[in-house]
Amino acid sequence: MGQCGITSSKTVLVFLNLIFWGAAGILCYVGAYVFITYDDYDHFFEDVYTLFPAVVIIAVGALLFIIGLIGCCATIRESRCGLATFVFILLLVFVTEVVVVVLGYVYRAKVENEVDRSIQKVYKTYNGTNSDAASRAIDYVQRQLHCCRIHNYSDWENTDWFKETKNQSVPLSCCRETAKSCNGSLANPSDLYAEGCEALVVKKLQEILMHVIWAALAFAAIQLLGMLCACIVLCRRSRDPAYELLITGGTYA
C-alpha cells in the first residue's frame, strides 16, 4: 500500500516537473509581454521600478526550467539529496513569487498617481511631428486605446500646439476608425473619440500588472503541489523498509 502511494506521488511529481517546463516558457512570455507593452507607454509612466516584478518573473521562469530538470532527475534516480534540493529550491521560488504578487499590487496602486503626474508633461510637449518620440507615443496611444487628449478632445484647445496650428482641429489620431473623411476638426465632434486617454492608460497598465500577479499566483499553487508530492516521496522513502529494499535490491532476512 505504501509503495503504491509512493509510486502515485512520483508519477504526479514527474508530471509536475513537465508542467514546470511549460510554466517556465509561459512566465518568460508574460515578462517579455510586460516589457514590450511598457515600451509603448513608457512616456506616460516614469517609474521604471514598476518593471521589477516583470524582471523577477522572467528570472523565475528561467529557474523553473532548471528546477524541472533537477526534479525529473531526482525523481527517476530516487535521490533523497536531489529531492531535498528540489524542495528547497521550490520553496525559494515560491517565496519569490509571493514577493512578485506583493510588489505587483504595490505598483498597481501607484499607477494612477504616476500616470497623472507624467501625462500632463507629455501632452505639453506634443508638436505633431513624427520625429518627436513623445508625439509618436501620444498618437500611438490615442489610436490604440481609441481616446483623445487627457480627459476629452476639448482639452486640446489649451495646448500650445493647438494655438500654433490655428485650424481648430485636433491630431488625426483622435479620429474614429469609422470616420473615413475625418480631418480632426472640432466642428465635427462625432468623428472624434470622446473618451480621454488618462483613465484608459491607467487601466491598461494595471491590466499588465494583473497579468504578472495572476501568473505568479497560478504557478505558486503548482509549486506548492510539487513540494507536497516531493515531501511525500521523501517521507515514505525513509519510513517504508520495503521501499528501501526495492531500491537497493536487498531481501528480508
Side-chain angles (χ1 to χ4, degrees), residues 172 174-184 188 190-193:
L172 294 178
C174 283
C175 291
R176 295 179 182 273
E177 291 179 345
T178 54
K180 302 300 181 183
S181 58
C182 176
N183 60 3
N188 300 305
S190 60
D191 290 345
L192 308 174
Y193 294 123

Side-chain angles (χ1 to χ4, degrees), residues 63-83:
L63 189 56
L64 273 180
F65 182 83
I66 300 172
I67 290 173
L69 187 62
I70 293 173
C72 274
C73 292
T75 304
I76 293 171
R77 297 184 63 183
E78 311 291 350
S79 170
R80 180 181 297 181
C81 180
L83 283 172

Side-chain angles (χ1 to χ4, degrees), residues 9-22 63-87 89-90 226 230 233 243:
S9 297
K10 284 170 57 183
T11 302
V12 173
L13 193 54
V14 171
F15 178 70
L16 284 173
N17 286 320
L18 296 177
I19 292 179
F20 288 153
W21 284 336
L63 189 56
L64 273 180
F65 182 83
I66 300 172
I67 290 173
L69 187 62
I70 293 173
C72 274
C73 292
T75 304
I76 293 171
R77 297 184 63 183
E78 311 291 350
S79 170
R80 180 181 297 181
C81 180
L83 283 172
T85 303
F86 174 70
V87 172
I89 297 176
L90 270 185
V233 172
Y243 184 74

Side-chain angles (χ1 to χ4, degrees), residues 37-81:
T37 308
Y38 177 86
D39 189 53
D40 295 329
Y41 296 89
D42 61 348
H43 285 83
F44 303 92
F45 201 79
E46 297 177 347
D47 188 356
V48 295
Y49 292 107
T50 306
L51 289 175
F52 185 67
V55 173
V56 175
I57 208 169
I58 289 176
V60 168
L63 189 56
L64 273 180
F65 182 83
I66 300 172
I67 290 173
L69 187 62
I70 293 173
C72 274
C73 292
T75 304
I76 293 171
R77 297 184 63 183
E78 311 291 350
S79 170
R80 180 181 297 181
C81 180

Side-chain angles (χ1 to χ4, degrees), residues 6-221:
I6 293 172
T7 303
S8 299
S9 297
K10 284 170 57 183
T11 302
V12 173
L13 193 54
V14 171
F15 178 70
L16 284 173
N17 286 320
L18 296 177
I19 292 179
F20 288 153
W21 284 336
I26 294 173
L27 287 176
C28 288
Y29 171 81
V30 171
Y33 169 77
V34 172
F35 270 98
I36 292 170
T37 308
Y38 177 86
D39 189 53
D40 295 329
Y41 296 89
D42 61 348
H43 285 83
F44 303 92
F45 201 79
E46 297 177 347
D47 188 356
V48 295
Y49 292 107
T50 306
L51 289 175
F52 185 67
V55 173
V56 175
I57 208 169
I58 289 176
V60 168
L63 189 56
L64 273 180
F65 182 83
I66 300 172
I67 290 173
L69 187 62
I70 293 173
C72 274
C73 292
T75 304
I76 293 171
R77 297 184 63 183
E78 311 291 350
S79 170
R80 180 181 297 181
C81 180
L83 283 172
T85 303
F86 174 70
V87 172
F88 178 72
I89 297 176
L90 270 185
L91 182 60
L92 290 180
V93 174
F94 176 78
V95 172
T96 303
E97 288 183 331
V98 171
V99 171
V100 167
V101 171
V102 172
L103 288 176
Y105 272 108
V106 168
Y107 288 122
R108 189 172 181 270
K110 293 174 59 180
V111 163
E112 189 169 355
N113 290 333
E114 286 290 333
V115 171
D116 184 60
R117 187 173 62 196
S118 303
I119 200 169
Q120 299 281 353
K121 293 189 293 184
V122 175
Y123 269 95
K124 280 182 180 178
T125 63
Y126 185 84
N127 60 22
T129 62
N130 195 51
S131 59
D132 181 60
S135 297
R136 288 199 309 272
I138 289 170
D139 286 331
Y140 173 83
V141 166
Q142 291 187 156
R143 289 192 181 98
Q144 288 294 113
L145 301 184
H146 299 169
C147 58
C148 190
R149 198 54 167 93
I150 298 175
H151 301 107
N152 56 58
Y153 57 79
S154 64
D155 290 350
W156 280 106
E157 296 181 67
N158 302 319
T159 64
D160 294 335
W161 174 83
F162 184 88
K163 294 170 183 175
E164 289 170 3
T165 55
K166 299 178 182 179
N167 59 6
Q168 295 296 302
S169 65
V170 298
L172 294 178
S173 55
C174 283
C175 291
R176 295 179 182 273
E177 291 179 345
T178 54
K180 302 300 181 183
S181 58
C182 176
N183 60 3
S185 174
L186 290 177
N188 300 305
S190 60
D191 290 345
L192 308 174
Y193 294 123
E195 193 169 359
C197 292
E198 182 176 5
L200 294 178
V201 169
V202 169
K203 181 181 177 182
K204 182 69 175 180
L205 290 172
Q206 288 179 336
E207 284 177 354
I208 293 170
L209 287 174
M210 280 306 299
H211 290 156
V212 174
I213 291 170
W214 282 115
L217 283 174
F219 294 116

